[in-house]
Amino acid sequence: MKKFFTFLCCGILLSTLVACGGSVSNKEKTSTTTRPTVSYIADEAYTCQPVSIYDIVKLDAEQKIKILDVLGSRLLVNIYSNYQQDDPNFSEEGYNAITEKIIEFNFETGEISNTYSFTDGYCSDAIFLDDNSIVYITLSPGFLTDYKIIKVNGGVTQEIASGCCYANEFDDPHLARLGNASFAYSYSNVGFASNDFGVNIVSAYGEITQQVHLTDDGKTEHLRTTLSDDGTRYIYYTAIDGKGTIIVGDQSNILHQFELPLSERVFDFSLLGEFIFFSLEDISDENSVGKIVMKDLNGKTVAEENYDPLFRVDSILGIDLKYQIHAVQFINGNITIFKMDLPKNPVLFYNLGTTSFLLHYDYNTSPQKLGVFLLKFS
């Protein structure tokens, strides 16, 4: 289940929702599909055990790893290194890195099942599909970069899409798994001739359908290309007619679309079954630094608690600005939040289900300090 968010800075996230007036593009669409209501529980009893990756995937002194996707016990792992200052591809903007290979790694068996070698470029995202294929994105060196979206199935490589983008994690494409070997990818051509942005759906046969297609005109605005998903649906955040807008879609349709109140400034969010977990600020409340808010898929607030801003929100986990991990319990319409007794270091979350996560600590440092851990709530 996806997705991870790499935290750049609070200021970027705070600036993602600004009222500015304009024209509405897509009308709200509501799915007739029903799903069971699920309560999400983070109990204060949990275990956190190390997962052997670094002692199996041998790295050179300058190499690093980043987990790109998790499906069951299978990981897609990017093995990369940063460009040094004397390298002609060195850049202070963008990813400033080159991927050497992607591996499929099973953290339960410790086996590497597949390796995908790279000759140039950086792999910014990758996902497993349910037909045993993978999809990944490569970016050429530099801040203004060329991207390619590649599907690999049984040794057959297919280029799905390509284009130009700014490589800053908010403007380059992102992927979301949708089931039936289909997936979504976001894109932004803002700053280029078309000035459009949105989300496309790719079928199992490689057919591309535009599902969200908007033009940045100063009223409708691209905010970020970040996608998160629950394996069958994606969630996307943009501004339409000057209003922060949440879009939830699947492989066939836009299922839900709603506007956020103009007073709400979003830090981060994640799908939780029939709810969306938001960390946000309500600027109409002078006494509130932040709030944890649960909304249904039509945008109605069903529960909220005053709480400091959380980032890298994935399912029931998030971190604050001091890298403290917080867990959220949402049951019977009530929110409870507690701090977890875990290291306060840079960390990425990977959701294995409602009660299990992988934690990747110090993912951007070399040599690696802590490593990868399996977190389980009892």
Side-chain angles (χ1 to χ4, degrees), residues 159-162 183 185 200-203 205-210:
E159 182 177 312
I160 300 296
S162 61
F183 66 96
Y185 71 89
N200 288 342
I201 307 299
V202 183
S203 73
Y205 307 103
E207 300 167 337
I208 300 175
T209 303
Q210 289 184 337

Side-chain angles (χ1 to χ4, degrees), residues 176-209:
R177 180 172 50 249
L178 299 179
N180 297 319
S182 65
F183 66 96
Y185 71 89
S186 59
Y187 66 94
S188 171
N189 293 317
V190 176
F192 301 97
S194 62
N195 228 37
D196 62 339
F197 63 96
V199 179
N200 288 342
I201 307 299
V202 183
S203 73
Y205 307 103
E207 300 167 337
I208 300 175
T209 303

Side-chain angles (χ1 to χ4, degrees), residues 16 34-35 91 123 135 153 157-158 177 179 202 205 250 306 378:
T16 58
T34 59
R35 295 180 177 84
S91 174
C123 180
V135 178
N153 191 353
T157 299
Q158 177 186 8
R177 180 172 50 249
V202 183
Y205 307 103
D250 65 7
N306 290 330
S378 60

Side-chain angles (χ1 to χ4, degrees), residues 106-356:
N106 189 308
F107 70 83
E108 290 183 348
T109 66
E111 296 178 348
I112 298 173
S113 57
N114 283 301
T115 300
Y116 306 90
S117 298
F118 282 63
T119 56
D120 57 14
Y122 178 74
C123 180
S124 58
D125 200 3
I127 54 173
F128 290 108
L129 298 183
D130 47 11
D131 62 352
N132 292 318
S133 63
I134 71 164
V135 178
Y136 61 83
I137 298 174
T138 62
L139 304 176
S140 62
F143 179 59
L144 177 58
T145 180
D146 297 318
Y147 72 83
K148 292 182 180 180
I149 300 176
I150 306 293
K151 181 177 180 179
V152 182
N153 191 353
V156 177
T157 299
Q158 177 186 8
E159 182 177 312
I160 300 296
S162 61
C164 297
C165 66
Y166 295 102
N168 60 9
E169 299 195 43
F170 288 92
D171 292 305
D172 50 273
H174 290 258
L175 302 169
R177 180 172 50 249
L178 299 179
N180 297 319
S182 65
F183 66 96
Y185 71 89
S186 59
Y187 66 94
S188 171
N189 293 317
V190 176
F192 301 97
S194 62
N195 228 37
D196 62 339
F197 63 96
V199 179
N200 288 342
I201 307 299
V202 183
S203 73
Y205 307 103
E207 300 167 337
I208 300 175
T209 303
Q210 289 184 337
Q211 190 167 99
V212 179
H213 184 223
L214 301 166
T215 300
D216 191 306
D217 58 8
K219 299 174 181 179
T220 292
E221 292 183 281
H222 161 67
L223 298 180
R224 59 198 194 195
T225 47
T226 307
L227 288 179
S228 64
D229 72 75
D230 64 1
T232 60
R233 300 171 298 170
Y234 71 85
I235 184 169
Y236 180 67
Y237 176 43
T238 187
I240 299 176
D241 195 17
K243 299 175 182 177
T245 303
I246 294 292
I247 297 173
V248 178
D250 65 7
Q251 60 184 304
S252 302
N253 299 292
I254 294 176
L255 303 175
H256 301 273
Q257 181 172 322
F258 62 85
E259 298 173 350
L260 296 169
L262 292 176
S263 62
E264 291 183 351
R265 302 294 190 263
V266 173
F267 296 112
D268 214 341
F269 54 87
S270 181
L271 272 170
L272 285 179
E274 296 307 293
F275 304 97
I276 303 174
F277 163 22
F278 287 92
S279 173
L280 54 80
E281 179 187 14
D282 186 345
I283 62 171
S284 67
D285 184 351
E286 296 180 354
N287 298 318
S288 176
V289 176
K291 287 186 176 182
I292 299 300
V293 177
M294 296 291 178
K295 295 179 184 283
D296 66 20
L297 296 180
N298 295 314
K300 179 182 178 181
T301 296
V302 296
E304 64 178 53
E305 290 288 336
N306 290 330
Y307 209 74
D308 289 338
L310 297 180
F311 306 94
R312 294 190 193 148
V313 170
D314 193 333
S315 184
I316 56 176
L317 296 182
I319 60 168
D320 62 24
L321 291 172
K322 296 180 180 180
Y323 298 107
Q324 169 70 58
I325 297 177
H326 303 252
V328 175
Q329 176 176 281
F330 180 53
I331 186 169
N332 297 327
N334 297 312
I335 298 173
T336 304
I337 310 134
F338 61 90
K339 296 179 180 179
M340 303 188 68
D341 186 18
L342 294 170
K344 297 178 183 179
N345 290 59
V347 62
L348 296 176
F349 306 125
Y350 302 85
N351 185 7
L352 304 178
T354 58
T355 59
S356 299

